[in-house]
Amino acid sequence: MTLEFAIPDPAEWMVASAEAIALVVIVAGLLQIVFYFVLLLYAGAALGTRPPVPRSATLWRRYSDQAPAISVLAPAFNEELTIVESTRSLLALQYPDFEVIVINDGSKDGTLARLVSEFGLEQVDRFVDRSVEHAPIRGFYASPRLPRLLVVDKENGGKADALNAGINCSRTALFCAIDADSILESDALLRVVRPFIDEPDLTIAAGGTIRIANGCKVDSGRISDIKLPRNFLALVQIVEYLRAFLMARVGLGKMQALTVISGAFGLFRRRQVVEVGGYSHGTVGEDMELVLKLHRLMREAKQDYRIDFIAEPVCWTECPDTLSVLGRQRARWQRGALECFVKHKDMLFNPRYGRIGIVGFGHILLVDVLGPLLEVLGYILVPLLWALGPLALPWLLAFLAVTFMFGVSLSIATLVLEEIQLRRFPKVRELAVLAVIAVLENFGYRQLSNLWRLQGWWQFIRKQQSWGTMTRKGFATN
Amino acid sequence: MTTLRALWEVSLALCLLAMLALLLLLLARVLSARLFDRTSAARQRLLPLLLDGDPTELEPLRKGEIQAAADLTVEIAEMTRGSEREALLARATALGVTDLLIARLRSRKAQSRLDAVEALSLFEGSHDYVIGALDDRNPDVRLGAALALAQHANAPAPIDIVNKLNVGAEENSLLLVSLMVDLAETNSEAVAGLLFEQDLSHRVKVAAMDALSQRGGEYAPLLAYMARDSGNEPELQPRIFRALGRTGHPAGADAIMEGMASDNWTVRAAAAEAVGKTRLVAAADRLSTLLNDPHYWVRYRASEALLRIGTRGVSVLREASRSEDPVVRSAALKMLAEGRA
């Protein structure tokens, strides 16, 4: 009896291995693309069938009597240059019943002093809740002339910690978490509160659109002239934000599988947020984690609920326009998504969590966890293997299709959706510029972005916790 | 291999298709910019016609201009009142604006139908068309029509309106309260009658209670009865106590005292809030026992109510500020400090 082993031909083995690698990369990319197109369809359906939007003039008349009171929570850290203008802009919001709680998170500059002197505040006492954890509060500041404003001075603990202090100090059923250096459109609260008015027993959270203010003119804390920035990175981020908010969030909201409401602008029902312990410490993805905790709470309690996304209310923010700052931000976002995924991994494909386990977590797995790893692997190996011979040309073309061509068509399709449904860009030229950017971003920027996300992966593995610094230049003012 | 090639070709086709669509939209934008210029010119020409002159001397406008006239009419009507508005609407009718709005009620877009209903409700002679919109297929248009009708004395009966809205199944909006408030202005008895309709959704009844509470003490005994009767509905009861508090009437005192002893903290908090609003001095001692409630909201509402009810409440707070229980002491001290601020 003789034993015969079939020794594979090394050339065949190399071809098979190369094709297997390419297949994994292409299938993963294709799954992402299919998912994005499904989201685009859902976003189109959501925008096409959204409830009629009252004109700004009727918005107040219709909603002001029933609009629930809102506490606007604005955490501030070392923002002495902008805090007064930001607070004035918040106090001027059009909403019938709201309070603005500015939380000075242990700033080392003159943030608190500027607030106290500019608004004539005095130290007061306040009976506050202690339901969620945060660093100790050092004092409260208010003025009888401005009954809507409360400044909370606390020891430094980070944004999540500051928001938790704000939640404890708020006395309304709803709170709106924002970044102190962002600009809310004056009717943004009236618009974002709509799900809480339409479905008061079901809605526990709602998010609004974030738009990039770079290039726009700001006057007295309001956007007075919408313009595109000249900086390429800022332009690319406008297209990215359009995709993220108009396609992904509107689509996921329609599916009721939204996994994140931006920390820059979200409205929450206080009671459920307190039940989940408020914002989590020790993560850089605290906004995403809060939404996941809310889903978990409601699913485990088997209660009907809604977490919605409304495209109309707008919050303007300044985006990074240098590679170093943008890279740090993207690495941090990646790290935040991975932290949330690992913390709640038991929800992945778990039927107990319904569509949030299947669709929401499937999306995180595909886009945030596997996406950058496989795409970078593809960028390195597929062209190399094609150049060396083991891969035939069709494999390379298929890889280019999933990484470049479908990406371009998705970005353009998002612009088409924007133009049909919202028309937020006043000039034709601006839309044309964005169309060019939607093509260009796929060649160079997209690859760089994936490298930053790999950096985030690396930081996550090393359990690096720092936020890094976001250098803001301040809005251009008239 | 053919699949891989097909993938490439499909991606190219999709890319071209998306670009073509955007190009068409860009062209459409250029054309609409020209149209906008023409509309702006028409608005400038129409403004004096709408603001001044004898309506009988006006003739219906051409199709291109009438749209601008309709939009302009609604914008100006929202800024005017009384005889000035009536004269504006008479001129708009003479120009043919109502005919256009009636035609818009048949639009495929819910947004257009809603705008048309809201605009038509301003015109006296269009009542039947607005009533017809209560049968619209879109719930937001139906609610818009109901809200518009409720502001007129000749609105349909509340029960007919809520049946059209299909409350509970399709309509859950808080705007039902606004609707009930407006309906109660002209027919509060009919709104109160909704509370006794057996098959009606609890949302309608709660909205009716909220509306009736805004009419002062007239319906306080009825609300007090409802508050006691809703003990097995923990989601509903706090809202009834808040409504009872809004009446500011002492008729609900017994019900409120019972509410403060509820096992449900949301009911205790709402009842304590109602004490403050009705200034029930007799409840001061009961409130003081709530100062060490395990729930912040109950402690807060109780201490706030003590501050609101005046001298007796403040003396209870002062006494509590010397309590050995740190929870009670803290609640009392902080609220006294807030009262001084």
Side-chain angles (χ1 to χ4, degrees), chain A residues 286-328:
Chain A
E286 77 286 336
D287 45 2
M288 184 186 219
E289 224 236 315
L290 177 66
V291 177
L292 295 179
K293 287 197 295 186
L294 288 172
H295 278 298
R296 183 187 282 277
L297 171 82
M298 302 307 280
R299 290 274 172 187
E300 289 179 356
K302 294 187 170 39
Q303 283 181 12
D304 289 337
Y305 69 103
R306 290 189 68 83
I307 294 180
D308 277 317
F309 184 83
I310 312 288
E312 283 87 7
V314 170
C315 173
W316 296 88
T317 191
E318 187 195 355
C319 73
D321 58 5
T322 62
L323 286 174
S324 58
V325 180
L326 182 60
R328 281 201 298 271

Side-chain angles (χ1 to χ4, degrees), chain A residues 53 62 171 201 419 425, chain B residues 29 111 118 174 203 338:
Chain A
V53 186
R62 180 174 273 208
R171 288 175 175 173
D201 298 338
E419 177 62 6
F425 297 99
Chain B
R29 181 70 94 86
Q111 179 76 67
E118 288 182 338
L174 282 178
R203 287 175 208 280
E338 280 197 38

Side-chain angles (χ1 to χ4, degrees), chain B residues 147-167:
Chain B
L147 287 165
L149 284 167
Q151 291 179 8
H152 296 273
N154 56 353
I159 184 72
D160 293 336
I161 293 183
V162 296
N163 283 336
K164 295 271 187 188
L165 293 178
N166 200 8
V167 179

Side-chain angles (χ1 to χ4, degrees), chain A residues 24 40 97 116 129 179 191 198 224 227 240 260 287 335 397 400-401 403 433 443 445:
Chain A
V24 169
L40 192 68
D97 190 2
V116 167
D129 195 2
D179 283 341
R191 291 188 186 277
D198 288 345
S224 58
K227 281 184 177 173
E240 278 187 316
V260 63
D287 45 2
R335 196 158 32 107
L397 290 178
L400 294 177
T403 48
V433 169
F443 306 93
Y445 174 79

Side-chain angles (χ1 to χ4, degrees), chain B residues 33 39 54-55 66 109 113 119 128 218 301 304 306 321 334:
Chain B
T39 310
D54 184 355
I66 200 157
K109 283 186 184 171
R113 298 200 302 278
D128 290 345
E218 191 182 349
R301 292 296 180 202
E304 182 195 45
L306 282 166
S321 69
K334 301 266 180 190

Side-chain angles (χ1 to χ4, degrees), chain A residues 42 175 428 434:
Chain A
Y42 266 84
F175 74 85
V428 183
L434 290 179

